[in-house]
């Protein structure tokens, strides 16, 4: 059940990250989910590192770090995806 939750969180965070970033991201939905999962894992790692991963109630700070991680990963991933998919020009 943990992998299903990771996919759902990755999808939601990836879509929110795409909405936050300016311009149009040309990455497919499956890559958005993967980038969202990676950003979530990075955000959890940072929250654990600074000691705010488990608080009483809703872990707002951890969720903020997850969202920041997703925005960074989606932004960088979109640039990498565009550079890979861009047709090479012959000189």
């Amino acid at each position: 059940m943990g992998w299903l939750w990771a996919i759902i969180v990755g999808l939601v965070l990836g879509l929110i990250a795409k909405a936050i970033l300016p311009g149009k991201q040309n990455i497919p939905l499956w890559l958005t989910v993967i980038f969202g999962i990676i950003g979530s894992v990075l955000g959890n790692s940072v929250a654990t590192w600074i000691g705010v991963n488990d608080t009483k109630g809703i872990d707002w700070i951890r969720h903020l770090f997850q969202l920041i991680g997703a925005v960074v990963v989606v932004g960088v991933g979109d640039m990498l995806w565009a550079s890979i998919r861009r047709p090479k020009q012959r000189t």
Side-chain angles (χ1 to χ4, degrees), residues 4-84:
L4 181 61
W5 188 245
I7 292 171
I8 293 169
V9 169
L11 173 65
V12 171
L13 284 176
L15 291 175
I16 292 173
K18 282 180 78 167
I20 290 173
L21 289 169
K24 183 177 185 320
Q25 291 76 40
N26 294 317
I27 56 175
L29 183 61
W30 63 270
L31 200 53
T32 302
V33 173
I34 291 172
F35 289 162
I37 292 170
I38 293 170
S40 175
V41 169
L42 289 175
N44 278 337
S45 298
V46 171
T48 301
W49 180 61
I50 64 171
V52 295
N53 62 324
D54 191 24
T55 60
K56 293 180 181 178
I58 299 174
D59 298 330
W60 292 110
I61 296 173
R62 178 174 57 101
H63 296 317
L64 180 65
F65 281 127
Q66 288 176 331
L67 180 59
I68 291 169
V71 168
V72 169
V73 172
V74 167
V76 171
D78 180 56
M79 288 187 290
L80 291 172
W81 180 258
S83 69
I84 291 170

